[in-house]
């Protein structure tokens, strides 16, 4: 019928999205800021609460990081 990614809500919190990709929620915030094409919904009067569309999970897993290499450099 569907994959494991089909289970759960269509829109994920920043923390849920980060947990699914095993990254820090701040990393998700950076991706959102760097990628205007990322499917997000901003909630509340100030837009600080964000929901990320489930389809972005596969996009990130495919290695399409909008900010390129995310490894730290010395």
């Amino acid at each position: 019928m569907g994959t494991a990614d089909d289970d759960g809500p269509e829109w994920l919190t920043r923390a849920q999205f980060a947990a699914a990709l095993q990254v820090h929620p701040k990393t998700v915030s950076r991706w959102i800021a760097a990628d205007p094409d990322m499917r997000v919904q901003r909630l509340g009067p100030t837009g600080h609460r964000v929901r990320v569309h489930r389809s972005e999970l596969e996009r990130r897993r495919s290695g399409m990081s909008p900010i390129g290499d995310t490894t730290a450099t010395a």
Side-chain angles (χ1 to χ4, degrees), residues 29-44:
S29 297
R30 289 184 190 110
W31 287 343
I32 292 168
D35 185 359
D37 296 328
M38 193 168 178
R39 291 183 65 188
V40 296
Q41 284 184 338
R42 296 192 176 274
L43 307 173

Side-chain angles (χ1 to χ4, degrees), residues 15-25 27 31 57 61:
Q16 290 169 324
F17 191 79
L21 294 174
Q22 298 180 336
V23 298
H24 194 275
T27 299
W31 287 343
L57 285 173
R61 288 180 181 143

Side-chain angles (χ1 to χ4, degrees), residues 13-14 32 40-52:
T13 66
R14 208 178 333 234
I32 292 168
V40 296
Q41 284 184 338
R42 296 192 176 274
L43 307 173
T46 60
H48 282 84
R49 289 184 296 157
V50 176
R51 299 296 181 266
V52 183

